[in-house]
Amino acid sequence: PAQIFWSAAVVGLIILLLFTRNRAGLVGMGVATVLSIYVIINNKKLAAAAVAGAALLLALAIPSDYIDRFSVLWNPDASHATANLDRANIEGRLTLWQCSMDFVRNEPVWGVGTGNFPKVIHQCNPGLDRLVAHNNFVNVAVESGLVGLVLYIALIISIYYAGLHRHRETDKWRSMAKGLLLASFSAYLAVSFFISRHDMVFAYILMGWIVALDISRSREPATY
């Protein structure tokens, strides 16, 4: 029953994502799907075939106006219903990131203070008032300076080390659990390049689970 429930939940989330036409969400789902397939299927050739099959299925199932939302990246003449909004979103992010670099240059060490990005961004451009950076790394660099950015990147690297760490006596359940959690965390990171999610509590719960699985395995007594 639990497997049926979770499978239904995953299908429901995919359907919801297809209806919302969220570009960052689609990128995150793609990253999670590819990595999950490689974790679940040990045979790399079979996994590659499964990824190709999933990509084909997605191409057949995805609504055409979803593709239209991406088309503004390569087609400046795109004229679908949300074309102007899609271009404005991209241009707005580029403007945010350019302004953010100015703040980093002015306050390179400690930044402007945690949570202050929306309060100060209007100093660069009044039209950006109360907006977030729409990028985890940019947000952290502006608010916590290069010191905070280095620590944030170090935290991410340590999570991947814990997730990819293989003990001498492997445990199939823990190995797969860590791999799937790492796939989820990678999806979160992929989305965080477009939407600020550095303060998302669930992301740190994922990190904690990955580290807990690694530590719990390393503390078990060896059996001979």
Side-chain angles (χ1 to χ4, degrees):
Q3 291 177 346
I4 293 173
F5 171 79
W6 290 115
S7 298
V10 169
V11 172
L13 287 171
I14 292 173
I15 293 173
L16 181 63
L17 183 59
L18 292 177
F19 274 106
T20 57
R21 314 291 198 267
N22 185 281
R23 289 173 291 183
L26 184 65
V27 171
M29 184 180 74
V31 170
T33 301
V34 170
L35 294 181
S36 296
I37 288 174
Y38 274 96
V39 169
I40 294 171
I41 302 177
N42 291 325
N43 187 303
K44 301 306 179 185
K45 292 183 178 179
L46 184 59
V51 169
L56 178 60
L57 181 63
L58 179 62
L60 295 173
I62 192 170
S64 59
D65 51 350
Y66 218 139
I67 303 299
D68 289 338
R69 293 211 65 200
F70 282 96
S71 68
V72 296
L73 294 171
W74 62 81
N75 181 12
D77 299 321
S79 58
H80 56 276
T82 61
N84 290 334
L85 175 61
D86 296 337
R87 288 194 193 91
N89 285 341
I90 295 171
E91 292 169 359
R93 279 169 170 76
L94 292 175
T95 302
L96 273 169
W97 297 341
Q98 289 171 355
C99 285
S100 297
M101 294 305 100
D102 292 337
F103 281 105
V104 173
R105 281 190 288 268
N106 293 332
E107 298 288 347
V109 181
W110 306 116
V112 300
T114 304
N116 285 337
F117 187 99
K119 301 176 183 178
V120 302
I121 191 62
H122 70 277
Q123 296 175 14
C124 172
N125 187 327
L128 303 177
D129 190 32
R130 312 303 299 179
L131 292 180
V132 295
H134 288 278
N135 182 296
N136 274 19
F137 300 92
V138 172
N139 219 123
V140 170
V142 172
E143 293 187 351
S144 302
L146 297 179
V147 172
L149 179 62
V150 169
L151 290 174
Y152 183 65
I153 293 173
L155 172 65
I156 292 171
I157 292 174
S158 70
I159 295 304
Y160 276 96
Y161 175 79
L164 297 172
H165 186 204
R166 293 289 182 268
H167 296 278
R168 183 174 59 182
E169 294 187 41
T170 59
D171 183 306
K172 185 177 180 181
W173 180 87
R174 280 187 176 85
S175 179
M176 180 169 290
K178 285 201 299 183
L180 293 175
L181 287 169
L182 204 59
S184 297
F185 182 68
S186 298
Y188 154 78
L189 278 184
V191 173
S192 75
F193 278 99
F194 312 102
I195 306 173
S196 292
R197 288 291 183 270
H198 59 289
D199 55 355
M200 183 181 184
V201 174
F202 186 64
Y204 296 95
I205 294 176
L206 285 175
M207 296 184 199
W209 282 340
I210 293 170
V211 173
L213 283 171
D214 187 59
I215 292 176
S216 65
R217 182 68 183 90
S218 65
R219 287 183 176 177
E220 287 184 358
T223 56
Y224 300 94

